[in-house]
């Protein structure tokens, strides 16, 4: 049994996963006070105007608050002129721009990295919201500035109806059974499908730590892509053994079963499926946030060994590993990557969220070559020791 976690209000990860995860909400007061004033409203407003930032500006009409409008990025300063009384600004992937914020992912070590989506920040003046709604993903709502009132309601699903004629998927009603105001440092876990409604009590920032799951359609598309790229699978199948003639317009049950069996046999190929799923789950959600870097060579990295640098995962990138046939294999930003055996331990640590010190333990030609390649691909990044 693991130790109780402060972020979960003193319960263990096992207790949270068995009793709350994807089942019911959890409110923890003042569990992450370090997030208080980490960002201020002006910071979020400035970030929303950056060229590659994904943001949405949501407004309610003054004369009829039940009428909503949504403007998606790119946003310009003119979008914030003549503002109504009620509005909200949503900025995605704020963890890609703030190392301090990205570090807070480590507060949730009981959820694997491949489940992470991004950290979104919601800024709203008093009364601002995005309406009554639900999401299909797990989210930890962390109050960072000001106060927000949260109401939770009924469980919803794909059959749930929405308010017609609106640019947002709003619920027509909500059966409120939870009503609390969150202050800076407070945390609220909301499972998938649970109706929720957050309204700003004053100028406030709320950080949403979202955790995703793929859907069957996405996975089938990726499997199809992998099969389509395999030249060996473009060869026509052998015909079924024919013992008698049939009507020319008929496909017999035996013929259909044969084709399905051949397709199923290919789908049972674990290595293809593993590659398809891991390439999908290692894809960055916001590839435009991955920075371009000046290429370095092994010699450049060797120079950094004596300067106290640490190496870490680039916040906008993804690095995953899995065991296959007794080997540890890696995927980065949607692609399988080949690494030397000597690099496996180091890359596992980095994929697990650790910052690895560049020291004599890494002074191996194979390790340095792999690290340089991943640094040049912006999968990894160097961080000076004084910033670590």
């Amino acid at each position: 049994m693991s130790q109780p976690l402060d972020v979960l209000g003193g319960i263990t990860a096992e207790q949270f996963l068995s009793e709350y995860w994807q089942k019911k909400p959890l409110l923890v007061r003042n569990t992450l006070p370090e997030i208080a004033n980490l960002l201020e409203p002006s910071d979020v407003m400035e970030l929303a105007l950056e060229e590659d930032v994904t943001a949405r500006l949501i407004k309610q009409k003054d004369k009829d608050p039940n009428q909503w409008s949504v403007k998606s990025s790119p946003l310009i300063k003119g979008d914030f002129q003549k503002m109504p009384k009620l509005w909200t600004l949503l900025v995605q992937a704020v963890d890609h721009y703030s190392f301090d914020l990205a570090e807070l992912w480590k507060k949730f070590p009981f959820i694997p990295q491949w489940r992470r989506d991004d950290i979104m920040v919601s800024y709203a003046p008093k009364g601002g919201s995005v309406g009554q709604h639900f999401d299909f993903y797990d989210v930890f709502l962390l109050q960072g500035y000001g106060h927000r009132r949260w109401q939770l309601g009924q469980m919803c699903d794909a059959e749930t109806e929405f308010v017609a004629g609106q640019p947002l998927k709003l619920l027509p009603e909500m059966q409120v059974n939870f009503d609390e105001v969150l202050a800076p440092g407070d945390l609220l876990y909301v499972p998938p499908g649970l109706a929720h409604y957050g309204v700003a009590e004053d100028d406030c920032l709320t950080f949403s730590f979202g955790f995703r799951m793929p859907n069957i359609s996405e996975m089938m598309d990726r499997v199809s892509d992998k099969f389509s790229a395999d030249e060996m699978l473009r060869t026509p199948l052998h015909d079924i053994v024919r013992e008698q003639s049939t009507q020319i317009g008929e496909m017999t049950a035996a013929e259909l079963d044969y084709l399905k069996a051949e397709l199923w046999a290919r789908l049972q190929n674990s290595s293809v499926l593993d590659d398809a799923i891991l390439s999908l789950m290692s894809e960055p959600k916001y590839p435009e946030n991955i920075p371009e870097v000046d290429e370095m060579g092994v010699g450049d990295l060797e120079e950094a060994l004596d300067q106290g640098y640490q190496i870490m995962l680039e916040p906008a990138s993804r690095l995953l590993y899995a065991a296959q046939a007794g080997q540890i294999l890696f995927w980065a930003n949607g692609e399988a990557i080949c690494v030397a055996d000597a690099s496996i331990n180091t890359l596992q640590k980095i994929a697990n969220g650790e910052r690895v010190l560049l020291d004599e333990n890494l002074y191996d030609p194979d390790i340095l070559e792999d690290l340089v390649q991943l640094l040049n691909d912006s999968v990894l990044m160097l961080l000076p020791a004084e910033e670590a």
Side-chain angles (χ1 to χ4, degrees):
M1 179 68 70
S2 62
Q3 296 295 315
L5 298 176
D6 290 340
V7 73
L8 297 177
I11 66 174
T12 65
E14 288 83 358
Q15 184 178 350
F16 172 77
L17 293 173
S18 64
E19 296 181 17
Y20 295 90
W21 183 249
Q22 300 207 317
K23 296 182 182 73
K24 62 182 182 180
L26 175 68
L27 172 63
V28 186
R29 296 291 188 183
N30 198 34
T31 185
L32 290 174
E34 59 265 42
I35 201 170
N37 302 323
L38 189 63
L39 294 179
E40 297 188 356
S42 58
D43 300 320
V44 177
M45 296 282 285
E46 291 176 9
L47 185 59
L49 297 175
E50 295 290 331
E51 182 179 357
D52 291 328
V53 169
T54 300
R56 287 171 291 164
L57 181 58
I58 299 171
K59 302 177 183 179
Q60 295 171 257
K61 292 186 176 180
D62 286 334
K63 293 183 178 180
D64 184 2
N66 291 318
Q67 291 298 315
W68 302 70
S69 67
V70 179
K71 171 69 187 300
S72 297
S73 53
L75 299 178
I76 60 175
K77 289 183 178 180
D79 294 320
F80 294 91
Q81 295 177 355
K82 298 181 179 180
M83 296 287 282
K85 180 181 178 182
L86 303 178
W87 58 278
T88 294
L89 175 63
L90 305 177
V91 181
Q92 302 289 157
V94 188
D95 48 319
H96 297 174
Y97 303 95
S98 169
F99 287 150
D100 291 335
L101 190 58
E103 278 291 293
L104 292 182
W105 279 119
K106 294 181 180 179
K107 298 294 184 177
F108 307 95
F110 44 90
I111 309 298
Q113 184 213 141
W114 69 266
R115 286 284 271 110
R116 293 179 187 172
D117 195 20
D118 72 324
I119 302 177
M120 180 188 76
V121 64
S122 169
Y123 166 53
K126 183 176 181 179
S129 80
V130 296
Q132 299 176 162
H133 68 287
F134 74 96
D135 303 301
F136 283 112
Y137 53 82
D138 300 271
V139 63
F140 291 89
L141 301 168
L142 182 58
Q143 193 62 26
Y145 182 97
H147 302 77
R148 190 181 294 267
R149 177 185 181 187
W150 285 102
Q151 294 178 322
L152 306 180
Q154 71 278 12
M155 293 300 295
C156 305
D157 56 32
E159 303 298 320
T160 299
E161 294 185 358
F162 300 108
V163 177
Q166 296 291 348
L168 299 170
K169 292 183 177 180
L170 302 174
L171 297 171
E173 58 184 7
M174 204 172 79
Q175 303 160 11
V176 177
N177 50 47
F178 173 100
D179 194 334
E180 298 283 351
V181 174
L182 269 63
D186 291 348
L187 181 74
L188 175 63
Y189 165 69
V190 179
L194 187 65
H196 51 284
Y197 180 38
V199 180
E201 295 279 295
D202 45 30
D203 272 18
C204 81
L205 297 179
T206 303
F207 296 91
S208 300
F209 291 68
F211 290 86
R212 64 177 179 168
M213 276 291 284
N215 58 53
I216 296 298
S217 177
E218 288 175 323
M219 290 191 291
M220 289 300 294
D221 282 346
R222 184 52 55 92
V223 171
S224 177
D225 290 343
K226 293 293 182 180
F227 280 12
S228 296
D230 189 337
E231 290 295 331
M232 297 295 292
L233 297 179
R234 294 182 182 276
T235 303
L237 297 170
H238 293 294
D239 195 7
I240 188 173
V241 175
R242 298 188 178 277
E243 298 178 350
Q244 61 184 23
S245 62
T246 60
Q247 295 293 330
I248 63 172
E250 178 187 8
M251 173 174 271
T252 66
E255 291 169 332
L256 187 57
D257 286 344
Y258 167 70
L259 294 178
K260 288 192 294 185
E262 290 294 318
L263 178 60
W264 182 244
R266 304 307 188 277
L267 290 174
Q268 290 289 82
N269 185 329
S270 178
S271 63
V272 174
L273 291 181
D274 288 356
D275 182 39
I277 293 172
L278 279 154
S279 66
L280 174 65
M281 298 315 300
S282 68
E283 276 190 349
K285 185 176 180 181
Y286 299 98
E288 64 276 10
N289 290 351
I290 298 176
E292 294 185 7
V293 296
D294 295 329
E295 287 202 5
M296 64 166 57
V298 172
D300 299 316
L301 191 56
E302 287 176 336
E303 291 182 8
L305 286 171
D306 301 323
Q307 299 176 25
Y309 278 89
Q310 291 191 344
I311 197 163
M312 60 176 282
L313 183 64
E314 158 60 43
S317 291
R318 297 185 187 273
L319 177 66
L320 302 177
Y321 62 88
Q324 275 191 355
Q327 293 182 297
I328 300 297
L329 303 180
F330 289 84
W331 282 258
N333 289 347
E335 300 289 343
I337 58 174
C338 295
V339 302
D341 290 343
S343 302
I344 290 176
N345 184 56
T346 298
L347 292 181
Q348 281 183 305
K349 290 180 179 179
I350 295 172
N352 290 336
E354 295 185 35
R355 294 180 177 183
V356 175
L357 181 65
L358 283 175
D359 58 19
E360 64 275 4
N361 294 321
L362 299 183
Y363 207 91
D364 179 290
D366 289 336
I367 297 177
L368 294 179
E369 187 172 334
D370 286 335
L371 292 179
V372 164
Q373 183 61 56
L374 293 172
L375 286 165
N376 289 337
D377 290 340
S378 291
V379 174
L380 306 180
M381 64 175 294
L382 288 175
L383 192 68
E386 60 269 18
E387 296 182 20

